[in-house]
Amino acid sequence: MSERSDQEKAQLLRASRRWVLRGRRYRYLMARAFVMPRFRQRWFQWRLRRAGRRVPAEDLAVLLEGGWRERLAAIWLVAAGRRADLRPVIERGLLGDVPSGDRWSYCPALACLGTKDDARILVAYLDRALARVPEEDGFAIQCQPEALATLMYLDEQLGTDHARRFLAAGGPWKRWPGSAGVSLAQYQDAVRADVVFAAGGDPGIRRMVKFQRR
């Protein structure tokens, strides 16, 4: 392994220990933080927003290039800290040579940043990801539903209509093999809850889960 690779590995380890593993942040962000009692949730959200504002851009960039734990935590740090300076890194990660939205998607960060630039990134992703042809092991599911729902949410916020051509009869969404049976309305609800959570509000997921268990 080269010296540069060793340095990158050491930087990733340091960043992960501080921003991902400390306080088991990544484990909470997998699900628990969204359903914990509200008083504990507020405390977690406050710490997440503070960390999102404080984490160096270099550490976030390294984490976004790491494994799923690092990417999960980094995406939420970007979202909660409204770190628009990381938008180019997210764009490279989502697009790149091949559209890539596997595992933990970048959509919560783009929804929380919430500008026309973020909508543009989602449009570019969907143009390519919805056009991917079926492969021998099935069509490529990444984060197409999440991305389209996030674009629909941003259209509502920005007064734009970027999602219209994807949703048109016979359009890219209808032609994509993975669209059958998908409720974009439910995905939009999840996007709204993510934005509320990142801003420190009550996403309402705990109430919804309790209601569903009745």
Side-chain angles (χ1 to χ4, degrees), residues 31-41 193 202-214:
R32 187 176 176 184
F34 298 88
V35 297
M36 63 175 56
R38 181 62 185 142
F39 73 94
R40 293 181 59 197
Q41 189 179 68
D202 182 358
I205 297 177
R206 178 178 173 82
R207 293 195 302 274
M208 180 178 66
V209 171
K210 290 175 66 176
F211 177 79
Q212 291 175 343
R213 288 177 177 173
R214 290 178 182 176

Tab-separated table of all heavy atoms in Angstrom, residues 31-41 193 202-214:
chain	number	residue	atom	x	y	z
A	31	ALA	N	-31.798	3.968	12.771
A	31	ALA	CA	-33.247	3.968	13.014
A	31	ALA	C	-33.611	4.525	14.384
A	31	ALA	O	-34.605	5.254	14.519
A	31	ALA	CB	-33.823	2.562	12.867
A	32	ARG	N	-32.827	4.205	15.386
A	32	ARG	CA	-33.225	4.472	16.769
A	32	ARG	C	-33.480	5.948	17.042
A	32	ARG	O	-34.404	6.302	17.778
A	32	ARG	CB	-32.147	3.945	17.711
A	32	ARG	CG	-32.509	4.016	19.172
A	32	ARG	CD	-31.425	3.380	20.022
A	32	ARG	NE	-31.701	3.511	21.435
A	32	ARG	CZ	-30.869	3.105	22.394
A	32	ARG	NH1	-29.718	2.528	22.067
A	32	ARG	NH2	-31.178	3.270	23.658
A	33	ALA	N	-32.677	6.819	16.437
A	33	ALA	CA	-32.820	8.253	16.704
A	33	ALA	C	-34.169	8.795	16.260
A	33	ALA	O	-34.630	9.818	16.757
A	33	ALA	CB	-31.706	9.034	16.008
A	34	PHE	N	-34.826	8.105	15.335
A	34	PHE	CA	-36.087	8.588	14.793
A	34	PHE	C	-37.292	8.170	15.626
A	34	PHE	O	-38.382	8.713	15.452
A	34	PHE	CB	-36.250	8.088	13.354
A	34	PHE	CG	-35.182	8.583	12.425
A	34	PHE	CD1	-33.995	7.890	12.280
A	34	PHE	CD2	-35.354	9.752	11.711
A	34	PHE	CE1	-33.002	8.350	11.442
A	34	PHE	CE2	-34.361	10.221	10.869
A	34	PHE	CZ	-33.183	9.526	10.735
A	35	VAL	N	-37.112	7.198	16.528
A	35	VAL	CA	-38.247	6.691	17.299
A	35	VAL	C	-38.029	6.799	18.805
A	35	VAL	O	-38.895	6.387	19.576
A	35	VAL	CB	-38.540	5.216	16.933
A	35	VAL	CG1	-38.932	5.106	15.464
A	35	VAL	CG2	-37.344	4.318	17.214
A	36	MET	N	-36.913	7.349	19.242
A	36	MET	CA	-36.667	7.482	20.669
A	36	MET	C	-37.591	8.539	21.275
A	36	MET	O	-38.163	9.372	20.556
A	36	MET	CB	-35.197	7.847	20.929
A	36	MET	CG	-34.781	9.185	20.367
A	36	MET	SD	-33.089	9.690	20.806
A	36	MET	CE	-32.094	8.331	20.213
A	37	PRO	N	-37.793	8.534	22.580
A	37	PRO	CA	-38.626	9.556	23.227
A	37	PRO	C	-38.170	10.954	22.844
A	37	PRO	O	-36.974	11.212	22.674
A	37	PRO	CB	-38.425	9.284	24.712
A	37	PRO	CG	-38.087	7.818	24.778
A	37	PRO	CD	-37.284	7.540	23.542
A	38	ARG	N	-39.128	11.870	22.750
A	38	ARG	CA	-38.845	13.191	22.184
A	38	ARG	C	-37.766	13.947	22.949
A	38	ARG	O	-36.919	14.614	22.335
A	38	ARG	CB	-40.147	14.000	22.122
A	38	ARG	CG	-39.985	15.386	21.524
A	38	ARG	CD	-39.518	15.318	20.089
A	38	ARG	NE	-39.250	16.640	19.537
A	38	ARG	CZ	-38.260	16.916	18.719
A	38	ARG	NH1	-37.433	15.961	18.335
A	38	ARG	NH2	-38.085	18.131	18.269
A	39	PHE	N	-37.734	13.866	24.266
A	39	PHE	CA	-36.739	14.631	25.022
A	39	PHE	C	-35.327	14.142	24.712
A	39	PHE	O	-34.378	14.940	24.652
A	39	PHE	CB	-37.027	14.576	26.524
A	39	PHE	CG	-36.724	13.247	27.178
A	39	PHE	CD1	-35.485	13.025	27.788
A	39	PHE	CD2	-37.649	12.227	27.178
A	39	PHE	CE1	-35.199	11.813	28.386
A	39	PHE	CE2	-37.366	11.010	27.771
A	39	PHE	CZ	-36.147	10.795	28.377
A	40	ARG	N	-35.177	12.836	24.506
A	40	ARG	CA	-33.865	12.298	24.136
A	40	ARG	C	-33.552	12.613	22.684
A	40	ARG	O	-32.400	12.862	22.325
A	40	ARG	CB	-33.830	10.791	24.362
A	40	ARG	CG	-33.921	10.361	25.817
A	40	ARG	CD	-33.851	8.861	25.942
A	40	ARG	NE	-32.611	8.335	25.384
A	40	ARG	CZ	-32.427	7.069	25.063
A	40	ARG	NH1	-33.414	6.191	25.211
A	40	ARG	NH2	-31.278	6.658	24.583
A	41	GLN	N	-34.574	12.607	21.863
A	41	GLN	CA	-34.386	12.912	20.451
A	41	GLN	C	-33.905	14.341	20.264
A	41	GLN	O	-33.018	14.602	19.431
A	41	GLN	CB	-35.707	12.701	19.706
A	41	GLN	CG	-35.589	12.785	18.190
A	41	GLN	CD	-36.937	12.534	17.544
A	41	GLN	OE1	-37.855	13.339	17.672
A	41	GLN	NE2	-37.067	11.415	16.839
A	193	ALA	N	-40.091	13.984	6.608
A	193	ALA	CA	-39.692	13.623	7.971
A	193	ALA	C	-38.190	13.774	8.155
A	193	ALA	O	-37.719	14.233	9.211
A	193	ALA	CB	-40.131	12.185	8.282
A	202	ASP	N	-39.757	17.455	15.339
A	202	ASP	CA	-40.288	16.121	15.589
A	202	ASP	C	-40.739	15.523	14.266
A	202	ASP	O	-41.710	15.993	13.670
A	202	ASP	CB	-41.465	16.215	16.559
A	202	ASP	CG	-42.037	14.844	16.913
A	202	ASP	OD1	-41.538	13.832	16.379
A	202	ASP	OD2	-42.968	14.795	17.732
A	203	PRO	N	-40.071	14.474	13.774
A	203	PRO	CA	-40.455	13.888	12.486
A	203	PRO	C	-41.749	13.113	12.533
A	203	PRO	O	-42.283	12.726	11.494
A	203	PRO	CB	-39.272	12.979	12.152
A	203	PRO	CG	-38.741	12.575	13.487
A	203	PRO	CD	-38.913	13.795	14.363
A	204	GLY	N	-42.266	12.852	13.738
A	204	GLY	CA	-43.539	12.167	13.867
A	204	GLY	C	-43.477	10.677	13.634
A	204	GLY	O	-44.515	10.008	13.646
A	205	ILE	N	-42.307	10.126	13.433
A	205	ILE	CA	-42.192	8.698	13.126
A	205	ILE	C	-42.558	7.850	14.334
A	205	ILE	O	-43.207	6.806	14.205
A	205	ILE	CB	-40.770	8.377	12.639
A	205	ILE	CG1	-40.494	9.132	11.334
A	205	ILE	CG2	-40.590	6.875	12.440
A	205	ILE	CD1	-39.095	8.952	10.806
A	206	ARG	N	-42.192	8.303	15.536
A	206	ARG	CA	-42.514	7.536	16.742
A	206	ARG	C	-44.032	7.417	16.902
A	206	ARG	O	-44.553	6.349	17.204
A	206	ARG	CB	-41.904	8.208	17.974
A	206	ARG	CG	-42.222	7.494	19.280
A	206	ARG	CD	-41.545	8.199	20.454
A	206	ARG	NE	-41.954	7.647	21.715
A	206	ARG	CZ	-41.439	6.553	22.256
A	206	ARG	NH1	-40.491	5.893	21.626
A	206	ARG	NH2	-41.862	6.099	23.424
A	207	ARG	N	-44.757	8.520	16.691
A	207	ARG	CA	-46.217	8.486	16.798
A	207	ARG	C	-46.811	7.542	15.754
A	207	ARG	O	-47.758	6.806	16.023
A	207	ARG	CB	-46.791	9.892	16.620
A	207	ARG	CG	-46.432	10.852	17.737
A	207	ARG	CD	-47.317	12.088	17.691
A	207	ARG	NE	-47.219	12.772	16.417
A	207	ARG	CZ	-46.290	13.687	16.128
A	207	ARG	NH1	-45.381	13.996	17.030
A	207	ARG	NH2	-46.273	14.289	14.950
A	208	MET	N	-46.251	7.589	14.533
A	208	MET	CA	-46.760	6.744	13.459
A	208	MET	C	-46.538	5.270	13.792
A	208	MET	O	-47.417	4.424	13.586
A	208	MET	CB	-46.066	7.097	12.145
A	208	MET	CG	-46.524	6.260	10.956
A	208	MET	SD	-45.720	6.771	9.411
A	208	MET	CE	-44.008	6.321	9.800
A	209	VAL	N	-45.362	4.928	14.319
A	209	VAL	CA	-45.065	3.536	14.669
A	209	VAL	C	-45.987	3.046	15.778
A	209	VAL	O	-46.528	1.933	15.719
A	209	VAL	CB	-43.586	3.393	15.091
A	209	VAL	CG1	-43.324	2.005	15.665
A	209	VAL	CG2	-42.679	3.651	13.902
A	210	LYS	N	-46.222	3.887	16.776
A	210	LYS	CA	-47.110	3.514	17.878
A	210	LYS	C	-48.532	3.285	17.377
A	210	LYS	O	-49.221	2.368	17.790
A	210	LYS	CB	-47.087	4.580	18.973
A	210	LYS	CG	-45.779	4.643	19.735
A	210	LYS	CD	-45.769	5.792	20.723
A	210	LYS	CE	-46.774	5.593	21.822
A	210	LYS	NZ	-46.693	6.675	22.834
A	211	PHE	N	-48.972	4.139	16.449
A	211	PHE	CA	-50.317	4.008	15.887
A	211	PHE	C	-50.438	2.708	15.099
A	211	PHE	O	-51.439	1.992	15.192
A	211	PHE	CB	-50.631	5.201	14.982
A	211	PHE	CG	-51.969	5.110	14.309
A	211	PHE	CD1	-53.136	5.414	14.991
A	211	PHE	CD2	-52.060	4.699	12.994
A	211	PHE	CE1	-54.364	5.318	14.358
A	211	PHE	CE2	-53.287	4.597	12.349
A	211	PHE	CZ	-54.445	4.911	13.045
A	212	GLN	N	-49.408	2.367	14.315
A	212	GLN	CA	-49.444	1.173	13.489
A	212	GLN	C	-49.448	-0.101	14.335
A	212	GLN	O	-49.914	-1.145	13.889
A	212	GLN	CB	-48.262	1.156	12.524
A	212	GLN	CG	-48.353	2.225	11.439
A	212	GLN	CD	-47.114	2.280	10.574
A	212	GLN	OE1	-46.064	1.755	10.946
A	212	GLN	NE2	-47.209	2.912	9.399
A	213	ARG	N	-48.919	-0.011	15.546
A	213	ARG	CA	-48.866	-1.189	16.415
A	213	ARG	C	-50.173	-1.436	17.147
A	213	ARG	O	-50.328	-2.462	17.799
A	213	ARG	CB	-47.717	-1.033	17.407
A	213	ARG	CG	-46.333	-1.170	16.781
A	213	ARG	CD	-45.254	-0.940	17.802
A	213	ARG	NE	-43.934	-1.141	17.227
A	213	ARG	CZ	-42.797	-0.881	17.876
A	213	ARG	NH1	-42.829	-0.423	19.121
A	213	ARG	NH2	-41.637	-1.083	17.276
A	214	ARG	N	-51.106	-0.500	17.103
A	214	ARG	CA	-52.362	-0.675	17.817
A	214	ARG	C	-53.222	-1.771	17.196
A	214	ARG	O	-53.198	-1.952	15.986
A	214	ARG	CB	-53.146	0.651	17.813
A	214	ARG	CG	-52.493	1.730	18.694
A	214	ARG	CD	-53.305	3.017	18.595
A	214	ARG	NE	-52.667	4.058	19.386
A	214	ARG	CZ	-53.119	5.329	19.426
A	214	ARG	NH1	-54.187	5.665	18.738
A	214	ARG	NH2	-52.510	6.214	20.161
